[in-house]
Structure formats: structure tokens, C-alpha cells
Amino acid sequence: MSQVSKILKRDKKLFFDDLDCECSNSIASSDINLVADFTEYNPLHNGHFHCMKTAKHMFPDSLFVAIVPGLFERSGRGIPYILPREIRAEIAISVGADIVVEGPPMGIMGSGQYSLCLCKMFKALNTSYIPRGYKPVEGFDEILKRINMGHHIAPKPYKIVDKTTNEIILKDKLEEDNYVITSFSNSLSKIGFDYTNKFIFVERIEGVSGTLIRESILNDNFDGVLDMMPSETIEVLKREIKNDSIIYGIRDVESILDTANNYDFEQLSTLNLFNDKLAKNIIDNGPYNDLEQLEKSILYGFSSHFRQRVLSILENPIPKKIISDYIDKYPSNIRILGYKNKESLEKFIKKVNNENISLFNGLK
């Protein structure tokens, strides 16, 4: 069995264990500030590091917690991560994070679903501050100002709405990082979390190219990106290339084709993000011998990465009803991927509003 197949098998068990776990809230008794940053760290580059350093400088006595998406190792775009989450957590701790916790299974969820899960995690962590990188564009300063006033800002197709005042405050689409901020505002409002003055908005730095970083990893040549990442990231990447632990772009092809070829219409149509039209198209164009043939049968969706997300769902075929139940209970268990030291761990446990806290054991 390949490393990716082992990861997916393990993570499916973790998913259903979490689903069966009864959430047990605790009453936190700590006054320490907890700064919670959600970032994929795919891999951790200077933009991420700048955001972390800015937040830590503003609140030097706080506990910095990184929420790193975990289960199934697929990004919000449905694409396999570069490194498994325990390695991404290791890098985060090495550059200054106190605690790294596992975030939701982004690759098998819609953007609204994982935004809601992340916000429920912010609430469970008793988060004091949330740092978020943004790209300055015309009209966005007003959105940021209203969010830190606690207004319910919601992204709609081609417009941004202030639901507190019932105003349209921007008539345009937002770039990904800026869209995430408005999505968080929307989800936090839905769960009743008061985020007034809790966001730390950090302007994105220039000079970091995710494309060049990924190419450097695939080519095992970091000469052109040495100034884009902390040295700790580069050292770990080189080590994991030698260990053959890079999982970027690697899928469990056998599982994907098995689902596409053997699930009937009813089974496919119940999967998360699927509808009747997509299910029918996959059945009508089968059977499939390879992923390229299958991808051609997947209709384009609202997102440019829709095909990759569908592949991730076929790889981990979980019905939308089960995903909904999982979201309702999330986070039933808070899994710690890494921690700086025992003192940080003890402070974290005292701060968190959840009694179900466990340490991640990787593939052991």
C-alpha cells in the first residue's frame, strides 16, 4: 500500500471516530490571549511568517495557535498538499508557533462548509485574536473597518453585503485571501461569535510565488526561491524530498476509479458537492481506465478547481448527509499536531473550551 493510500485509510478512520465522539465542552479558566491563525502552510513561506511575526509582536505574551487543515491532506482547491500535516506542523513550531491543531478536511468540503468549521474551531479555542493576510484593493478598507466593528459582512455573487446595515458595500468579486476574510465574518456571525476588534489584518508582502516554490520542490532545486521561505522550511523540504515524503499531486487512483466505475447513480448523487447532473454524467461516460478520461466527464462548476475537488470526493466518497452531521458536531475532538513545549501545552489545555483534546500520532 502506498503512503498516500495509508494516509487516506488512517484519516477515514479518524473522520468517523470524530463523528462518533460526543463533544464535551469545558469552562475555560485562563486569561491568556490566544491568537489563532488559519493557514495551510503549503509550504510555510515568508508571507505566512510575516503574518505570524506581526501578530506575535502585537501580543508578545499570547499563545500563538496555528490551525492547519488535516484530514485527507487535500487543500480547499481539492489538490493534494505538498507535505503531510505533521510535517507542516513541525515547520510552524520551528518558526514560532506555540501549538498547531488540526483543522477541517478542506478537500472534501465546499468553501462555505469549511469556513463554518474553521469558525467553530475559533470559538472552541476561545480565540482572542485572528490574524489574516489581505491584499489592499480599492474599497476593501471599508470592509475591514466594518468587520472589526463587529458587522456581519457576507460575500454574495459579485457583491459584498453588510447585513448589519443592509447595505451593498462593494459591487465586485474579491481575490481569494480577501474573500476568505468576508467568509469568516459571515460564518462567525452565523454561530454567534463576537469578533469585534478581534481580527489582526496584515497586508500581504510581495515577492512570494507559490508556483515557483512548488516548481523548486518538484525539481529539488531551491536556488531561485531562497528568499521566499524561512530557512527552516527549506531544510525540512530538502529532508522530506530525501525521505520521499512529498505527496503533492499524488492520488489514490485505484480508489477514485473504483468509486467512479462501481457506484450507482443514487450513491454518486448523495456524495458531497454532487448533484444529479454530475452523477449522471459520470455514469454515462464510464467505465474509466484512467484519471484523464474521468476528468473529461466532470462538468465545470462555479470554482475553477471544481474538477480537483470532485476527484478528492471520489477518492473519499462520504455522503453529504454524513458531512453535514460532522459539521454539526465539529470540533468534537481537538487534535494537536505539534507543540512548542510542555508549558505551552498546559496553557493551551486551560484555555480551550473543549475537554476532548488528543495528540496526533501520525501513521504509527
Side-chain angles (χ1 to χ4, degrees), residues 14-294:
L14 289 174
F15 177 92
F16 282 100
D17 285 348
D18 288 348
L19 187 65
D20 291 338
C21 182
E22 288 303 319
C23 186
S24 181
N25 291 337
S26 62
I27 300 174
S29 58
S30 171
D31 294 329
I32 190 170
N33 283 325
L34 186 150
V35 178
D37 182 23
F38 158 69
T39 300
E40 295 178 274
Y41 293 150
N42 188 40
L44 191 151
H45 54 60
N46 285 345
H48 302 131
F49 191 34
H50 173 66
C51 191
M52 180 190 292
K53 286 190 297 183
T54 300
K56 286 171 69 71
H57 177 74
M58 290 177 67
F59 301 98
D61 297 324
S62 67
L63 198 65
F64 189 95
V65 178
I67 304 170
V68 173
L71 292 171
F72 307 116
E73 299 293 358
R74 270 69 184 126
S75 73
R77 300 176 180 183
I79 299 169
Y81 283 122
I82 290 167
L83 290 168
R85 57 192 180 275
E86 59 267 39
I87 308 299
R88 289 182 281 144
E90 177 191 343
I91 298 172
I93 295 294
S94 73
V95 299
D98 297 299
I99 303 284
V100 182
V101 300
E102 182 185 275
M106 294 179 68
I108 62 168
M109 289 182 168
S111 58
Q113 291 176 320
Y114 67 72
S115 175
L116 182 59
C117 284
L118 284 167
C119 290
K120 292 178 80 170
M121 178 65 83
F122 288 139
K123 188 173 183 179
L125 296 179
N126 276 328
T127 301
S128 309
Y129 299 101
I130 304 169
R132 285 305 305 171
Y134 76 97
K135 186 172 183 178
V137 295
E138 187 177 350
F140 198 60
D141 282 349
E142 178 64 21
I143 292 173
L144 298 183
K145 183 180 82 173
R146 294 191 186 211
I147 287 174
N148 260 344
M149 290 168 62
H151 286 214
H152 180 177
I153 306 300
K156 303 289 183 182
Y158 299 100
K159 63 183 178 183
I160 305 298
V161 177
D162 184 335
K163 298 186 78 171
T164 301
T165 63
N166 293 318
E167 295 174 83
I168 296 174
I169 52 177
L170 186 68
K171 290 185 177 181
D172 202 355
K173 287 180 69 175
L174 292 174
E175 292 191 28
E176 187 171 352
D177 285 350
N178 292 358
Y179 178 89
V180 167
I181 291 171
T182 60
S183 182
F184 279 170
S185 170
N186 191 36
S187 296
L188 288 167
S189 296
K190 287 181 178 178
I191 64 172
F193 184 83
D194 182 6
Y195 49 88
T196 304
N197 292 323
K198 289 196 172 184
F199 277 96
I200 304 168
F201 295 120
V202 181
E203 187 173 330
R204 278 178 54 183
I205 62 171
E206 300 295 328
V208 176
S209 168
T211 300
L212 289 178
I213 289 173
R214 286 187 288 274
E215 287 177 359
S216 73
I217 294 166
L218 294 175
N219 296 327
D220 193 9
N221 184 346
F222 296 91
D223 291 346
V225 296
L226 292 173
D227 60 347
M228 295 184 188
M229 294 179 282
S231 59
E232 291 87 349
T233 298
I234 295 172
E235 287 172 14
V236 170
L237 284 169
K238 287 180 177 179
R239 182 193 76 196
E240 295 308 316
I241 289 171
K242 288 182 180 178
N243 292 340
D244 199 24
S245 297
I246 303 298
I247 59 174
Y248 179 67
I250 302 174
R251 290 195 177 275
D252 185 349
V253 176
E254 185 178 345
S255 292
I256 295 172
L257 295 179
D258 181 65
T259 304
N261 287 330
N262 295 313
Y263 270 42
D264 60 26
F265 171 80
E266 185 175 347
Q267 289 173 306
L268 284 176
S269 61
T270 62
L271 297 181
N272 203 36
L273 303 189
F274 270 65
N275 56 28
D276 289 355
K277 187 175 182 180
L278 175 58
K280 184 176 186 301
N281 224 53
I282 288 177
I283 288 174
D284 288 348
N285 289 284
Y288 305 97
N289 298 313
D290 54 53
L291 286 192
E292 184 180 359
Q293 185 187 5
L294 173 59

